[in-house]
Amino acid sequence: MSGLKYLTLATATTALLSAPAWAHHSAAMFDRQKTSSVAGTIKKYQFSNPHAWIYVTATEDGVQKEYSIEMTSPNLLGRAGWRPGTLKTGDKVVVRYHPFRDGTTGGQIVDVTLPTGKVMTEQAIN
Amino acid sequence: MAFVKMQTRLSMVAACALALMATAPAQAATDPLNPRPANAAAKPTFDLTGNWWVTQPEGAAGFKPDPPLKPEPMKVWQEVNDKRAGGENFRDKSGLCLPLGMPLILTRVYPIQVVQDAKKITIIYEYENNVRWIFIDGRPHPGPDDLIPTFMGHSIGWWEGDTLVVDTIGMNEEPDIQPGVPHTKDLHIVERIKLTPEGFNDELTLTDPNLFEKPWVTAKRYKKSDSELQEYHCLPENNHFAVGADGVLRAVEPPKQ
């Protein structure tokens, strides 16, 4: 019983710490316990409210797939160093993300490794 | 130092006296359209002008603790929680570029800019550049025939000692207070705002006889921020979320490129 209680508390604490700071909508649609990674090419970088999106294409086993990666708002991304020109179509990047639960290819951003090797996150200074 | 101590002691005595005085009018029948007590301060005790940022974890987590709901609304709340645990954003209208209004706007983790003048306190929320006005010039709420329901409602404020009290009525029924807590036109919010070393505390007491078993007391904490506010408009054509026939918010196809 006490073990279960501890586990619940630990889970709750983790959930609290990892809760997205930006919350436009609830993050329930993403599996925040999982982190996936894709190395691919930027198809489109949409730097607009309410959420910025990155579309990445990658070929796996001869099949091209498109990944839709959701980010927070440009307002908060701007405070974390992102700019409209941070990503360009054709850039080779590695994106880590929390996958959609419903099977949609893509998910919620964790970080992006730019062609220069620089790692961008959503961590903003407020 | 001794002076500071004495001053602290004096202000504590004054606060106690005010607290005692404040309980008297609360027991008397107050006019819901003009709930300002007779002992409200003649002038503002403090000026909230400045930029502030809601602190975590309250900001991202809706309102805590959970609402004391009546049995029927409790079923809606449980359904939302069950679906959320299964990965579905049910009744989450915050993803639809609609104005959030009071009190859901308070759950957004963006800076706010407060401008206080003699008549009113204006709060600009960076999130969707929403604006709220709290009238502090002694005016009452509009009567039932004149009150036009709005997302933010109608707010009047006054000071009781070191506390800014804000009374809000007239909120329309959209959206939920937080997903799964729908309210009626009888929603009434009283905020008690106090300065803290970091910023200010906003304690909210929500009442709605159709919804709650007893008043729901919750709070938001703010810290001073150097961040300037920015433009934020949520354009539906850039929004990749839609609510399905089942009431669940999902990512939909991105726009044609």
Side-chain angles (χ1 to χ4, degrees):
Chain A
M1 189 62 194
S2 64
L4 183 68
K5 204 171 171 183
Y6 175 75
L7 185 69
T8 312
L9 187 69
T11 312
T13 310
T14 311
L16 213 66
L17 289 175
S18 63
W22 40 269
H24 172 246
H25 51 74
S26 148
M29 61 180 73
F30 306 108
D31 186 348
R32 294 179 57 83
Q33 304 302 314
K34 275 191 205 156
T35 300
S36 306
S37 180
V38 58
T41 307
I42 297 293
K43 183 182 176 190
K44 191 186 176 189
Y45 170 49
Q46 183 190 317
F47 197 69
S48 66
N49 278 315
H51 288 267
W53 286 81
I54 303 171
Y55 302 100
V56 178
T57 53
T59 306
E60 284 162 33
D61 305 323
V63 181
Q64 198 184 62
K65 277 190 179 176
E66 183 173 318
Y67 293 76
S68 304
I69 309 295
E70 190 200 34
M71 299 198 284
T72 184
S73 67
N75 296 52
L76 296 185
L77 288 170
R79 292 180 170 98
W82 291 79
R83 295 293 177 266
T86 298
L87 297 172
K88 292 175 186 67
T89 302
D91 279 356
K92 306 283 183 206
V93 295
V94 178
V95 181
R96 294 199 306 148
Y97 60 95
H98 299 306
F100 279 106
R101 288 180 195 262
D102 69 359
T104 302
T105 312
Q108 181 188 35
I109 189 173
V110 174
D111 55 36
V112 176
T113 306
L114 304 181
T116 57
K118 187 180 178 187
V119 178
M120 300 290 291
T121 70
E122 295 193 318
Q123 201 59 50
I125 305 147
N126 57 18
Chain B
M1 192 64 190
F3 172 72
V4 173
K5 266 190 184 159
M6 178 126 104
Q7 207 178 32
T8 312
R9 236 177 261 146
L10 275 174
S11 54
M12 273 171 69
V13 170
C16 289
L18 277 169
L20 283 172
M21 282 157 71
T23 53
Q27 284 158 0
T30 47
D31 176 0
L33 297 182
N34 195 7
R36 223 178 240 97
N39 66 333
K43 284 197 279 187
T45 308
F46 53 78
D47 187 336
L48 267 188
T49 297
N51 287 11
W52 312 88
W53 203 310
V54 70
T55 61
Q56 301 274 22
E58 290 87 351
F63 296 103
K64 296 288 176 195
D66 285 347
L69 294 170
K70 287 188 166 178
E72 279 305 310
M74 182 62 88
K75 287 180 193 163
V76 180
W77 172 239
Q78 278 172 347
E79 189 181 10
V80 164
N81 284 324
D82 290 348
K83 294 212 173 183
R84 186 168 285 190
E88 292 187 324
N89 290 24
F90 184 55
R91 293 185 72 100
D92 186 357
K93 291 193 176 175
S94 66
L96 293 181
C97 294
L98 297 171
L100 299 188
M102 276 292 286
L104 186 58
I105 188 72
L106 304 182
T107 65
R108 304 298 103 169
V109 187
Y110 285 85
I112 62 170
Q113 182 181 356
V114 181
V115 183
Q116 185 171 324
D117 62 40
K119 275 190 176 176
K120 64 197 178 297
I121 297 169
T122 304
I123 306 177
I124 306 159
Y125 297 85
E126 179 167 313
Y127 184 84
E128 294 183 4
N129 292 168
N130 282 180
V131 182
R132 180 181 177 209
W133 297 277
I134 299 163
F135 297 104
I136 53 171
D137 57 357
R139 76 183 73 180
H141 290 301
D145 293 341
D146 296 322
L147 185 67
I148 300 168
T150 56
F151 283 91
M152 289 297 187
H154 187 269
S155 297
I156 54 175
W158 62 88
W159 276 264
E160 294 175 19
D162 63 353
T163 306
L164 166 62
V165 182
V166 180
D167 192 283
T168 303
I169 62 168
M171 286 153 280
N172 62 24
E173 292 174 77
E174 290 287 341
D176 289 359
I177 294 173
Q178 62 187 32
V181 187
H183 64 90
T184 70
K185 286 181 182 139
D186 295 331
L187 177 64
H188 175 211
I189 302 176
V190 177
E191 292 167 86
R192 298 185 69 84
I193 295 167
K194 287 184 189 195
L195 298 182
T196 63
E198 301 77 33
F200 66 90
N201 266 5
D202 184 1
E203 185 194 88
L204 298 105
T205 302
L206 290 82
T207 50
D208 183 338
N210 314 294
L211 182 61
F212 301 120
E213 291 278 15
K214 57 177 186 178
W216 184 19
V217 182
T218 178
K220 290 287 167 192
R221 278 173 269 279
Y222 294 81
K223 64 179 179 185
K224 197 103 182 95
S225 173
D226 293 329
S227 219
E228 296 295 352
L229 262 63
Q230 301 170 8
E231 182 180 283
Y232 183 128
H233 294 295
C234 186
L235 301 181
E237 61 264 37
N238 289 333
N239 190 18
H240 297 195
F241 293 93
V243 173
D246 57 357
V248 175
L249 181 80
R250 287 192 186 86
V252 294
E253 286 296 308
K256 295 279 175 266
Q257 322 219 345

